Amino acid sequence: MSICSRCVLPDTFPGISFDDQGVCNYCRNMPVPDSDEKQAYRKKFEDLLENRRTSDSFDVLLAYSGGKDSTYTLYLLTKKFNLKVLAFVFDNGFISEQAMKNIKHMTDTLGAACTVFRPPFHLMQKVFGLAAGHDIYSPKTLDRASSICTTCIGMVKAMILKTALAYGIPLVAYGWSPGQAPIASAVMQTNPRLQRISQRTVRDPLVQAVGNELSPFFLSDDELAIDQSRWPVNIHPLAFTDYDEDEILKKIKAIGWVKPEDTDPNSTNCLLNALANYLHRQRFSFHPYAWEIAGIVRSGSMDREEGLHKVCQDEDMTMVRYAADMLGIDIPG
C-alpha cells in the first residue's frame, strides 16, 4: 500500500492520486488555514456572541460525548468565553463507564447543565446492526466516517437541532477537530434547507429500513417549517483554536478528566468505535479516521508518524468482539 508522503491517506482512499514526490492531490489542493484566517474566524465568533447571548435561556447547546475534544470545547465555552452551556449527551448504549464519570465530573466542574438522552437500547442495536452489515448510505458519505458513526452522528445532529429549537437556544456547538470540519464551517447558520438535505442522507435510508419508530429522532415537517430566524448558529471553536492533542489532554486532565482504558486509540468515549473501524477497513481498505487524521497532520497539529500510528494499527479484537456481541452480529473476515 502506498501512503501520501505528507499526510496519512493511502492509495485505497477514494479519488486519490500522487505526484512524483508521493504527495496526494488532497494535500496539494486543500488550503490549510493560517493564523490570520483563524483570528478572523475567532473575531467572527466573538462578534456573534455579542448578539446571541441570552438572559432567559442557555447561550449554547453543546453536543457532549465526554471525549477529549468535546471536553476541551466545553472548557473553552465555559471558561474562555463565559457562556451558559447546556451539554447534550446522546447515550447510544456504548458510552464507556469512565466516559460517563467524566461527563458528570466535567459538567459539574465547569458549571454546565447536562441532559442525557438515551433511546431504547433495542432500537440502537437495530440501527447499528443494520449499519454494520448493509449498504444503506452512498459510498461518498462513508469517505470520512464509518457507517456506524454516520448513523450515530446523524441522530445526534437531528436531536441537537430539535432541542435547540424547542428551548430557543441560539448556538449549537460541536467539538470537531480541525481535521473533521473545515474552518469555513466554524461559524455557520443552520437552516431548514440544509437540514432537509442532511435528513435525506441519513434519516430516509434508516427509516426506510427500520420503520417509523425512528421518525421521532429526526426533525418533523412542522419543525422544518419553523421560521429561519429561530434556527441556531452552528459553531466548532477548535477550528480557530490552536489544536495540540498533548496540550488538550494536559489541560483537561488537570481539572479531573480521566482517559478511558476500554476504548480504541481513536476514541476517548465509545465502546463501539473499534468495531466500526474494523468493519470499515474490511469493506473499504482504509481507516475511517484517515481523512480526519490527514487534516490534522496537514495543519501541523500532529506529526505524520503519530498520525500513521493512529490509522495503521490493527483494532483490538477483544473490543471488536465485545461490540459485535452487544449488537448480536457476526464479525466478517
Side-chain angles (χ1 to χ4, degrees), residues 36-72:
D36 288 343
E37 188 173 10
K38 288 183 178 181
Q39 185 58 40
Y41 272 91
R42 183 185 177 99
K43 177 66 164 54
K44 183 176 182 180
F45 173 66
E46 291 172 345
D47 289 345
L48 176 70
L49 297 186
E50 292 299 316
N51 298 319
R52 293 293 182 123
R53 289 181 191 270
T54 66
S55 58
D56 55 358
S57 181
F58 297 100
D59 297 313
V60 58
L61 181 67
L62 169 66
Y64 187 42
S65 70
K68 64 174 175 60
D69 288 339
S70 64
T71 295
Y72 188 61

PDB file of all heavy atoms in Angstrom, residues 36-72:
ATOM      1  N   ASP A  36      -3.817  34.141  10.522  1.00  0.00           N
ATOM      2  CA  ASP A  36      -4.691  35.274  10.214  1.00  0.00           C
ATOM      3  C   ASP A  36      -6.128  34.805   9.972  1.00  0.00           C
ATOM      4  O   ASP A  36      -7.081  35.449  10.423  1.00  0.00           O
ATOM      5  CB  ASP A  36      -4.174  36.018   8.979  1.00  0.00           C
ATOM      6  CG  ASP A  36      -2.912  36.811   9.265  1.00  0.00           C
ATOM      7  OD1 ASP A  36      -2.623  37.055  10.451  1.00  0.00           O
ATOM      8  OD2 ASP A  36      -2.213  37.173   8.301  1.00  0.00           O
ATOM      9  N   GLU A  37      -6.270  33.687   9.258  1.00  0.00           N
ATOM     10  CA  GLU A  37      -7.618  33.174   8.983  1.00  0.00           C
ATOM     11  C   GLU A  37      -8.269  32.692  10.275  1.00  0.00           C
ATOM     12  O   GLU A  37      -9.461  32.931  10.515  1.00  0.00           O
ATOM     13  CB  GLU A  37      -7.560  32.051   7.958  1.00  0.00           C
ATOM     14  CG  GLU A  37      -8.926  31.601   7.480  1.00  0.00           C
ATOM     15  CD  GLU A  37      -8.872  30.605   6.345  1.00  0.00           C
ATOM     16  OE1 GLU A  37      -7.771  30.111   6.037  1.00  0.00           O
ATOM     17  OE2 GLU A  37      -9.939  30.301   5.769  1.00  0.00           O
ATOM     18  N   LYS A  38      -7.508  32.027  11.112  1.00  0.00           N
ATOM     19  CA  LYS A  38      -8.046  31.590  12.401  1.00  0.00           C
ATOM     20  C   LYS A  38      -8.482  32.782  13.243  1.00  0.00           C
ATOM     21  O   LYS A  38      -9.544  32.754  13.875  1.00  0.00           O
ATOM     22  CB  LYS A  38      -7.001  30.769  13.160  1.00  0.00           C
ATOM     23  CG  LYS A  38      -6.755  29.382  12.591  1.00  0.00           C
ATOM     24  CD  LYS A  38      -5.759  28.628  13.453  1.00  0.00           C
ATOM     25  CE  LYS A  38      -5.530  27.224  12.946  1.00  0.00           C
ATOM     26  NZ  LYS A  38      -4.582  26.464  13.794  1.00  0.00           N
ATOM     27  N   GLN A  39      -7.671  33.821  13.229  1.00  0.00           N
ATOM     28  CA  GLN A  39      -8.005  35.012  14.002  1.00  0.00           C
ATOM     29  C   GLN A  39      -9.268  35.669  13.468  1.00  0.00           C
ATOM     30  O   GLN A  39     -10.109  36.165  14.238  1.00  0.00           O
ATOM     31  CB  GLN A  39      -6.845  36.008  13.983  1.00  0.00           C
ATOM     32  CG  GLN A  39      -7.055  37.235  14.854  1.00  0.00           C
ATOM     33  CD  GLN A  39      -7.305  36.891  16.310  1.00  0.00           C
ATOM     34  OE1 GLN A  39      -6.683  35.995  16.873  1.00  0.00           O
ATOM     35  NE2 GLN A  39      -8.245  37.593  16.931  1.00  0.00           N
ATOM     36  N   ALA A  40      -9.443  35.651  12.152  1.00  0.00           N
ATOM     37  CA  ALA A  40     -10.634  36.243  11.549  1.00  0.00           C
ATOM     38  C   ALA A  40     -11.893  35.484  11.975  1.00  0.00           C
ATOM     39  O   ALA A  40     -12.928  36.100  12.276  1.00  0.00           O
ATOM     40  CB  ALA A  40     -10.503  36.240  10.027  1.00  0.00           C
ATOM     41  N   TYR A  41     -11.798  34.152  12.041  1.00  0.00           N
ATOM     42  CA  TYR A  41     -12.964  33.365  12.456  1.00  0.00           C
ATOM     43  C   TYR A  41     -13.217  33.494  13.957  1.00  0.00           C
ATOM     44  O   TYR A  41     -14.374  33.467  14.395  1.00  0.00           O
ATOM     45  CB  TYR A  41     -12.807  31.902  12.045  1.00  0.00           C
ATOM     46  CG  TYR A  41     -13.346  31.665  10.645  1.00  0.00           C
ATOM     47  CD1 TYR A  41     -12.520  31.771   9.538  1.00  0.00           C
ATOM     48  CD2 TYR A  41     -14.696  31.380  10.434  1.00  0.00           C
ATOM     49  CE1 TYR A  41     -13.017  31.575   8.256  1.00  0.00           C
ATOM     50  CE2 TYR A  41     -15.205  31.182   9.164  1.00  0.00           C
ATOM     51  CZ  TYR A  41     -14.360  31.288   8.075  1.00  0.00           C
ATOM     52  OH  TYR A  41     -14.870  31.104   6.803  1.00  0.00           O
ATOM     53  N   ARG A  42     -12.157  33.629  14.727  1.00  0.00           N
ATOM     54  CA  ARG A  42     -12.347  33.869  16.157  1.00  0.00           C
ATOM     55  C   ARG A  42     -13.060  35.206  16.366  1.00  0.00           C
ATOM     56  O   ARG A  42     -13.975  35.314  17.195  1.00  0.00           O
ATOM     57  CB  ARG A  42     -11.008  33.863  16.890  1.00  0.00           C
ATOM     58  CG  ARG A  42     -11.159  34.036  18.405  1.00  0.00           C
ATOM     59  CD  ARG A  42      -9.813  34.138  19.096  1.00  0.00           C
ATOM     60  NE  ARG A  42      -9.975  34.364  20.515  1.00  0.00           N
ATOM     61  CZ  ARG A  42      -9.891  33.429  21.455  1.00  0.00           C
ATOM     62  NH1 ARG A  42      -9.618  32.184  21.110  1.00  0.00           N
ATOM     63  NH2 ARG A  42     -10.056  33.724  22.737  1.00  0.00           N
ATOM     64  N   LYS A  43     -12.686  36.220  15.601  1.00  0.00           N
ATOM     65  CA  LYS A  43     -13.354  37.527  15.686  1.00  0.00           C
ATOM     66  C   LYS A  43     -14.822  37.404  15.270  1.00  0.00           C
ATOM     67  O   LYS A  43     -15.714  37.991  15.908  1.00  0.00           O
ATOM     68  CB  LYS A  43     -12.626  38.516  14.777  1.00  0.00           C
ATOM     69  CG  LYS A  43     -13.257  39.910  14.697  1.00  0.00           C
ATOM     70  CD  LYS A  43     -13.174  40.644  16.029  1.00  0.00           C
ATOM     71  CE  LYS A  43     -13.435  42.146  15.890  1.00  0.00           C
ATOM     72  NZ  LYS A  43     -14.687  42.463  15.221  1.00  0.00           N
ATOM     73  N   LYS A  44     -15.071  36.638  14.229  1.00  0.00           N
ATOM     74  CA  LYS A  44     -16.441  36.418  13.775  1.00  0.00           C
ATOM     75  C   LYS A  44     -17.261  35.750  14.874  1.00  0.00           C
ATOM     76  O   LYS A  44     -18.419  36.110  15.124  1.00  0.00           O
ATOM     77  CB  LYS A  44     -16.433  35.552  12.506  1.00  0.00           C
ATOM     78  CG  LYS A  44     -17.789  35.313  11.880  1.00  0.00           C
ATOM     79  CD  LYS A  44     -17.644  34.520  10.580  1.00  0.00           C
ATOM     80  CE  LYS A  44     -19.009  34.313   9.931  1.00  0.00           C
ATOM     81  NZ  LYS A  44     -18.894  33.545   8.653  1.00  0.00           N
ATOM     82  N   PHE A  45     -16.644  34.785  15.548  1.00  0.00           N
ATOM     83  CA  PHE A  45     -17.310  34.096  16.648  1.00  0.00           C
ATOM     84  C   PHE A  45     -17.576  35.045  17.813  1.00  0.00           C
ATOM     85  O   PHE A  45     -18.682  35.075  18.371  1.00  0.00           O
ATOM     86  CB  PHE A  45     -16.437  32.919  17.091  1.00  0.00           C
ATOM     87  CG  PHE A  45     -16.925  32.214  18.325  1.00  0.00           C
ATOM     88  CD1 PHE A  45     -18.122  31.523  18.317  1.00  0.00           C
ATOM     89  CD2 PHE A  45     -16.179  32.243  19.493  1.00  0.00           C
ATOM     90  CE1 PHE A  45     -18.573  30.859  19.459  1.00  0.00           C
ATOM     91  CE2 PHE A  45     -16.617  31.588  20.638  1.00  0.00           C
ATOM     92  CZ  PHE A  45     -17.817  30.897  20.609  1.00  0.00           C
ATOM     93  N   GLU A  46     -16.606  35.836  18.185  1.00  0.00           N
ATOM     94  CA  GLU A  46     -16.776  36.764  19.303  1.00  0.00           C
ATOM     95  C   GLU A  46     -17.832  37.819  18.995  1.00  0.00           C
ATOM     96  O   GLU A  46     -18.611  38.217  19.875  1.00  0.00           O
ATOM     97  CB  GLU A  46     -15.434  37.406  19.648  1.00  0.00           C
ATOM     98  CG  GLU A  46     -14.447  36.405  20.259  1.00  0.00           C
ATOM     99  CD  GLU A  46     -13.051  36.978  20.440  1.00  0.00           C
ATOM    100  OE1 GLU A  46     -12.770  38.045  19.838  1.00  0.00           O
ATOM    101  OE2 GLU A  46     -12.246  36.375  21.167  1.00  0.00           O
ATOM    102  N   ASP A  47     -17.875  38.280  17.740  1.00  0.00           N
ATOM    103  CA  ASP A  47     -18.921  39.224  17.345  1.00  0.00           C
ATOM    104  C   ASP A  47     -20.303  38.574  17.435  1.00  0.00           C
ATOM    105  O   ASP A  47     -21.281  39.218  17.840  1.00  0.00           O
ATOM    106  CB  ASP A  47     -18.680  39.711  15.912  1.00  0.00           C
ATOM    107  CG  ASP A  47     -17.476  40.635  15.803  1.00  0.00           C
ATOM    108  OD1 ASP A  47     -17.000  41.125  16.850  1.00  0.00           O
ATOM    109  OD2 ASP A  47     -17.003  40.856  14.670  1.00  0.00           O
ATOM    110  N   LEU A  48     -20.353  37.294  17.059  1.00  0.00           N
ATOM    111  CA  LEU A  48     -21.614  36.552  17.142  1.00  0.00           C
ATOM    112  C   LEU A  48     -22.097  36.484  18.588  1.00  0.00           C
ATOM    113  O   LEU A  48     -23.293  36.665  18.862  1.00  0.00           O
ATOM    114  CB  LEU A  48     -21.417  35.141  16.576  1.00  0.00           C
ATOM    115  CG  LEU A  48     -22.610  34.181  16.666  1.00  0.00           C
ATOM    116  CD1 LEU A  48     -23.708  34.617  15.704  1.00  0.00           C
ATOM    117  CD2 LEU A  48     -22.162  32.755  16.344  1.00  0.00           C
ATOM    118  N   LEU A  49     -21.187  36.261  19.516  1.00  0.00           N
ATOM    119  CA  LEU A  49     -21.558  36.155  20.919  1.00  0.00           C
ATOM    120  C   LEU A  49     -22.176  37.449  21.439  1.00  0.00           C
ATOM    121  O   LEU A  49     -23.076  37.426  22.288  1.00  0.00           O
ATOM    122  CB  LEU A  49     -20.336  35.798  21.774  1.00  0.00           C
ATOM    123  CG  LEU A  49     -19.675  34.441  21.506  1.00  0.00           C
ATOM    124  CD1 LEU A  49     -18.578  34.180  22.525  1.00  0.00           C
ATOM    125  CD2 LEU A  49     -20.695  33.318  21.522  1.00  0.00           C
ATOM    126  N   GLU A  50     -21.679  38.579  20.945  1.00  0.00           N
ATOM    127  CA  GLU A  50     -22.221  39.865  21.382  1.00  0.00           C
ATOM    128  C   GLU A  50     -23.709  39.982  21.066  1.00  0.00           C
ATOM    129  O   GLU A  50     -24.464  40.637  21.798  1.00  0.00           O
ATOM    130  CB  GLU A  50     -21.454  41.005  20.716  1.00  0.00           C
ATOM    131  CG  GLU A  50     -20.020  41.138  21.187  1.00  0.00           C
ATOM    132  CD  GLU A  50     -19.919  41.413  22.675  1.00  0.00           C
ATOM    133  OE1 GLU A  50     -20.696  42.259  23.173  1.00  0.00           O
ATOM    134  OE2 GLU A  50     -19.101  40.761  23.346  1.00  0.00           O
ATOM    135  N   ASN A  51     -24.133  39.336  19.979  1.00  0.00           N
ATOM    136  CA  ASN A  51     -25.522  39.438  19.530  1.00  0.00           C
ATOM    137  C   ASN A  51     -26.395  38.279  19.981  1.00  0.00           C
ATOM    138  O   ASN A  51     -27.624  38.384  19.947  1.00  0.00           O
ATOM    139  CB  ASN A  51     -25.572  39.533  17.999  1.00  0.00           C
ATOM    140  CG  ASN A  51     -24.874  40.755  17.470  1.00  0.00           C
ATOM    141  OD1 ASN A  51     -25.002  41.839  18.035  1.00  0.00           O
ATOM    142  ND2 ASN A  51     -24.104  40.593  16.396  1.00  0.00           N
ATOM    143  N   ARG A  52     -25.761  37.164  20.373  1.00  0.00           N
ATOM    144  CA  ARG A  52     -26.546  35.953  20.623  1.00  0.00           C
ATOM    145  C   ARG A  52     -26.628  35.541  22.089  1.00  0.00           C
ATOM    146  O   ARG A  52     -27.341  34.598  22.415  1.00  0.00           O
ATOM    147  CB  ARG A  52     -25.967  34.785  19.807  1.00  0.00           C
ATOM    148  CG  ARG A  52     -26.110  34.937  18.297  1.00  0.00           C
ATOM    149  CD  ARG A  52     -27.563  34.873  17.873  1.00  0.00           C
ATOM    150  NE  ARG A  52     -27.719  34.962  16.429  1.00  0.00           N
ATOM    151  CZ  ARG A  52     -28.334  34.044  15.675  1.00  0.00           C
ATOM    152  NH1 ARG A  52     -28.827  32.966  16.227  1.00  0.00           N
ATOM    153  NH2 ARG A  52     -28.442  34.221  14.368  1.00  0.00           N
ATOM    154  N   ARG A  53     -25.887  36.176  22.976  1.00  0.00           N
ATOM    155  CA  ARG A  53     -26.028  35.832  24.389  1.00  0.00           C
ATOM    156  C   ARG A  53     -27.462  36.128  24.837  1.00  0.00           C
ATOM    157  O   ARG A  53     -28.061  37.118  24.417  1.00  0.00           O
ATOM    158  CB  ARG A  53     -25.054  36.639  25.245  1.00  0.00           C
ATOM    159  CG  ARG A  53     -23.598  36.230  25.097  1.00  0.00           C
ATOM    160  CD  ARG A  53     -22.726  37.069  26.009  1.00  0.00           C
ATOM    161  NE  ARG A  53     -21.319  36.892  25.730  1.00  0.00           N
ATOM    162  CZ  ARG A  53     -20.548  35.979  26.310  1.00  0.00           C
ATOM    163  NH1 ARG A  53     -21.084  35.156  27.206  1.00  0.00           N
ATOM    164  NH2 ARG A  53     -19.263  35.878  26.013  1.00  0.00           N
ATOM    165  N   THR A  54     -27.976  35.276  25.710  1.00  0.00           N
ATOM    166  CA  THR A  54     -29.365  35.443  26.139  1.00  0.00           C
ATOM    167  C   THR A  54     -29.427  35.607  27.657  1.00  0.00           C
ATOM    168  O   THR A  54     -28.516  35.224  28.382  1.00  0.00           O
ATOM    169  CB  THR A  54     -30.211  34.222  25.739  1.00  0.00           C
ATOM    170  OG1 THR A  54     -29.755  33.082  26.472  1.00  0.00           O
ATOM    171  CG2 THR A  54     -30.102  33.948  24.250  1.00  0.00           C
ATOM    172  N   SER A  55     -30.520  36.170  28.121  1.00  0.00           N
ATOM    173  CA  SER A  55     -30.734  36.306  29.564  1.00  0.00           C
ATOM    174  C   SER A  55     -31.736  35.291  30.077  1.00  0.00           C
ATOM    175  O   SER A  55     -31.779  35.007  31.277  1.00  0.00           O
ATOM    176  CB  SER A  55     -31.234  37.721  29.891  1.00  0.00           C
ATOM    177  OG  SER A  55     -32.443  37.994  29.196  1.00  0.00           O
ATOM    178  N   ASP A  56     -32.547  34.718  29.184  1.00  0.00           N
ATOM    179  CA  ASP A  56     -33.629  33.843  29.629  1.00  0.00           C
ATOM    180  C   ASP A  56     -33.503  32.418  29.099  1.00  0.00           C
ATOM    181  O   ASP A  56     -34.452  31.641  29.148  1.00  0.00           O
ATOM    182  CB  ASP A  56     -34.983  34.430  29.205  1.00  0.00           C
ATOM    183  CG  ASP A  56     -35.060  34.706  27.713  1.00  0.00           C
ATOM    184  OD1 ASP A  56     -34.049  34.482  27.015  1.00  0.00           O
ATOM    185  OD2 ASP A  56     -36.120  35.153  27.251  1.00  0.00           O
ATOM    186  N   SER A  57     -32.348  32.049  28.583  1.00  0.00           N
ATOM    187  CA  SER A  57     -32.126  30.680  28.102  1.00  0.00           C
ATOM    188  C   SER A  57     -30.636  30.387  28.179  1.00  0.00           C
ATOM    189  O   SER A  57     -29.833  31.244  28.576  1.00  0.00           O
ATOM    190  CB  SER A  57     -32.628  30.529  26.665  1.00  0.00           C
ATOM    191  OG  SER A  57     -32.435  29.200  26.209  1.00  0.00           O
ATOM    192  N   PHE A  58     -30.251  29.185  27.803  1.00  0.00           N
ATOM    193  CA  PHE A  58     -28.832  28.868  27.670  1.00  0.00           C
ATOM    194  C   PHE A  58     -28.281  29.582  26.438  1.00  0.00           C
ATOM    195  O   PHE A  58     -28.988  29.797  25.458  1.00  0.00           O
ATOM    196  CB  PHE A  58     -28.639  27.357  27.529  1.00  0.00           C
ATOM    197  CG  PHE A  58     -29.081  26.569  28.738  1.00  0.00           C
ATOM    198  CD1 PHE A  58     -30.301  25.922  28.755  1.00  0.00           C
ATOM    199  CD2 PHE A  58     -28.270  26.500  29.864  1.00  0.00           C
ATOM    200  CE1 PHE A  58     -30.719  25.216  29.860  1.00  0.00           C
ATOM    201  CE2 PHE A  58     -28.666  25.787  30.984  1.00  0.00           C
ATOM    202  CZ  PHE A  58     -29.902  25.147  30.985  1.00  0.00           C
ATOM    203  N   ASP A  59     -27.004  29.926  26.500  1.00  0.00           N
ATOM    204  CA  ASP A  59     -26.370  30.556  25.344  1.00  0.00           C
ATOM    205  C   ASP A  59     -26.068  29.534  24.250  1.00  0.00           C
ATOM    206  O   ASP A  59     -26.150  29.849  23.055  1.00  0.00           O
ATOM    207  CB  ASP A  59     -25.045  31.224  25.750  1.00  0.00           C
ATOM    208  CG  ASP A  59     -25.242  32.350  26.744  1.00  0.00           C
ATOM    209  OD1 ASP A  59     -26.135  33.189  26.513  1.00  0.00           O
ATOM    210  OD2 ASP A  59     -24.498  32.388  27.741  1.00  0.00           O
ATOM    211  N   VAL A  60     -25.695  28.328  24.672  1.00  0.00           N
ATOM    212  CA  VAL A  60     -25.221  27.350  23.695  1.00  0.00           C
ATOM    213  C   VAL A  60     -25.569  25.934  24.148  1.00  0.00           C
ATOM    214  O   VAL A  60     -25.527  25.610  25.337  1.00  0.00           O
ATOM    215  CB  VAL A  60     -23.690  27.490  23.480  1.00  0.00           C
ATOM    216  CG1 VAL A  60     -22.925  27.321  24.769  1.00  0.00           C
ATOM    217  CG2 VAL A  60     -23.183  26.501  22.434  1.00  0.00           C
ATOM    218  N   LEU A  61     -25.942  25.112  23.172  1.00  0.00           N
ATOM    219  CA  LEU A  61     -26.185  23.692  23.372  1.00  0.00           C
ATOM    220  C   LEU A  61     -25.001  22.941  22.774  1.00  0.00           C
ATOM    221  O   LEU A  61     -24.733  23.044  21.574  1.00  0.00           O
ATOM    222  CB  LEU A  61     -27.489  23.277  22.682  1.00  0.00           C
ATOM    223  CG  LEU A  61     -27.916  21.811  22.816  1.00  0.00           C
ATOM    224  CD1 LEU A  61     -28.295  21.493  24.267  1.00  0.00           C
ATOM    225  CD2 LEU A  61     -29.100  21.513  21.896  1.00  0.00           C
ATOM    226  N   LEU A  62     -24.274  22.207  23.614  1.00  0.00           N
ATOM    227  CA  LEU A  62     -23.071  21.510  23.172  1.00  0.00           C
ATOM    228  C   LEU A  62     -23.338  20.020  23.031  1.00  0.00           C
ATOM    229  O   LEU A  62     -23.833  19.374  23.960  1.00  0.00           O
ATOM    230  CB  LEU A  62     -21.940  21.718  24.193  1.00  0.00           C
ATOM    231  CG  LEU A  62     -20.686  20.845  24.015  1.00  0.00           C
ATOM    232  CD1 LEU A  62     -19.952  21.189  22.715  1.00  0.00           C
ATOM    233  CD2 LEU A  62     -19.761  20.977  25.225  1.00  0.00           C
ATOM    234  N   ALA A  63     -23.015  19.468  21.862  1.00  0.00           N
ATOM    235  CA  ALA A  63     -23.033  18.018  21.686  1.00  0.00           C
ATOM    236  C   ALA A  63     -21.847  17.450  22.463  1.00  0.00           C
ATOM    237  O   ALA A  63     -20.701  17.604  22.052  1.00  0.00           O
ATOM    238  CB  ALA A  63     -22.928  17.666  20.203  1.00  0.00           C
ATOM    239  N   TYR A  64     -22.128  16.821  23.595  1.00  0.00           N
ATOM    240  CA  TYR A  64     -21.063  16.435  24.523  1.00  0.00           C
ATOM    241  C   TYR A  64     -20.985  14.918  24.662  1.00  0.00           C
ATOM    242  O   TYR A  64     -21.922  14.278  25.130  1.00  0.00           O
ATOM    243  CB  TYR A  64     -21.301  17.083  25.882  1.00  0.00           C
ATOM    244  CG  TYR A  64     -20.155  16.876  26.848  1.00  0.00           C
ATOM    245  CD1 TYR A  64     -18.838  16.994  26.428  1.00  0.00           C
ATOM    246  CD2 TYR A  64     -20.389  16.559  28.178  1.00  0.00           C
ATOM    247  CE1 TYR A  64     -17.779  16.801  27.308  1.00  0.00           C
ATOM    248  CE2 TYR A  64     -19.343  16.374  29.067  1.00  0.00           C
ATOM    249  CZ  TYR A  64     -18.043  16.490  28.624  1.00  0.00           C
ATOM    250  OH  TYR A  64     -16.996  16.286  29.497  1.00  0.00           O
ATOM    251  N   SER A  65     -19.846  14.355  24.267  1.00  0.00           N
ATOM    252  CA  SER A  65     -19.645  12.910  24.337  1.00  0.00           C
ATOM    253  C   SER A  65     -18.839  12.484  25.556  1.00  0.00           C
ATOM    254  O   SER A  65     -18.772  11.298  25.867  1.00  0.00           O
ATOM    255  CB  SER A  65     -18.912  12.432  23.076  1.00  0.00           C
ATOM    256  OG  SER A  65     -17.559  12.889  23.074  1.00  0.00           O
ATOM    257  N   GLY A  66     -18.198  13.436  26.217  1.00  0.00           N
ATOM    258  CA  GLY A  66     -17.283  13.106  27.301  1.00  0.00           C
ATOM    259  C   GLY A  66     -15.881  12.814  26.826  1.00  0.00           C
ATOM    260  O   GLY A  66     -14.976  12.586  27.632  1.00  0.00           O
ATOM    261  N   GLY A  67     -15.666  12.805  25.486  1.00  0.00           N
ATOM    262  CA  GLY A  67     -14.341  12.589  24.926  1.00  0.00           C
ATOM    263  C   GLY A  67     -13.469  13.826  25.072  1.00  0.00           C
ATOM    264  O   GLY A  67     -13.926  14.888  25.498  1.00  0.00           O
ATOM    265  N   LYS A  68     -12.201  13.703  24.681  1.00  0.00           N
ATOM    266  CA  LYS A  68     -11.241  14.782  24.923  1.00  0.00           C
ATOM    267  C   LYS A  68     -11.596  16.064  24.173  1.00  0.00           C
ATOM    268  O   LYS A  68     -11.516  17.157  24.734  1.00  0.00           O
ATOM    269  CB  LYS A  68      -9.824  14.331  24.567  1.00  0.00           C
ATOM    270  CG  LYS A  68      -9.598  14.012  23.102  1.00  0.00           C
ATOM    271  CD  LYS A  68      -8.146  13.707  22.802  1.00  0.00           C
ATOM    272  CE  LYS A  68      -7.966  13.272  21.373  1.00  0.00           C
ATOM    273  NZ  LYS A  68      -8.392  14.265  20.365  1.00  0.00           N
ATOM    274  N   ASP A  69     -11.982  15.961  22.884  1.00  0.00           N
ATOM    275  CA  ASP A  69     -12.232  17.167  22.100  1.00  0.00           C
ATOM    276  C   ASP A  69     -13.488  17.897  22.568  1.00  0.00           C
ATOM    277  O   ASP A  69     -13.493  19.126  22.674  1.00  0.00           O
ATOM    278  CB  ASP A  69     -12.335  16.829  20.613  1.00  0.00           C
ATOM    279  CG  ASP A  69     -10.992  16.457  20.001  1.00  0.00           C
ATOM    280  OD1 ASP A  69      -9.954  16.822  20.586  1.00  0.00           O
ATOM    281  OD2 ASP A  69     -10.972  15.793  18.947  1.00  0.00           O
ATOM    282  N   SER A  70     -14.563  17.152  22.828  1.00  0.00           N
ATOM    283  CA  SER A  70     -15.775  17.843  23.289  1.00  0.00           C
ATOM    284  C   SER A  70     -15.595  18.364  24.718  1.00  0.00           C
ATOM    285  O   SER A  70     -16.182  19.391  25.081  1.00  0.00           O
ATOM    286  CB  SER A  70     -17.006  16.933  23.182  1.00  0.00           C
ATOM    287  OG  SER A  70     -16.911  15.804  24.023  1.00  0.00           O
ATOM    288  N   THR A  71     -14.765  17.684  25.517  1.00  0.00           N
ATOM    289  CA  THR A  71     -14.488  18.199  26.864  1.00  0.00           C
ATOM    290  C   THR A  71     -13.687  19.492  26.794  1.00  0.00           C
ATOM    291  O   THR A  71     -13.970  20.454  27.525  1.00  0.00           O
ATOM    292  CB  THR A  71     -13.731  17.147  27.694  1.00  0.00           C
ATOM    293  OG1 THR A  71     -14.579  16.006  27.892  1.00  0.00           O
ATOM    294  CG2 THR A  71     -13.331  17.715  29.054  1.00  0.00           C
ATOM    295  N   TYR A  72     -12.700  19.540  25.918  1.00  0.00           N
ATOM    296  CA  TYR A  72     -11.926  20.776  25.780  1.00  0.00           C
ATOM    297  C   TYR A  72     -12.809  21.898  25.222  1.00  0.00           C
ATOM    298  O   TYR A  72     -12.673  23.062  25.626  1.00  0.00           O
ATOM    299  CB  TYR A  72     -10.720  20.549  24.873  1.00  0.00           C
ATOM    300  CG  TYR A  72      -9.773  21.722  24.831  1.00  0.00           C
ATOM    301  CD1 TYR A  72      -9.132  22.161  25.983  1.00  0.00           C
ATOM    302  CD2 TYR A  72      -9.521  22.393  23.637  1.00  0.00           C
ATOM    303  CE1 TYR A  72      -8.265  23.250  25.958  1.00  0.00           C
ATOM    304  CE2 TYR A  72      -8.654  23.477  23.601  1.00  0.00           C
ATOM    305  CZ  TYR A  72      -8.030  23.902  24.770  1.00  0.00           C
ATOM    306  OH  TYR A  72      -7.175  24.987  24.732  1.00  0.00           O
TER     307      TYR A  72
END
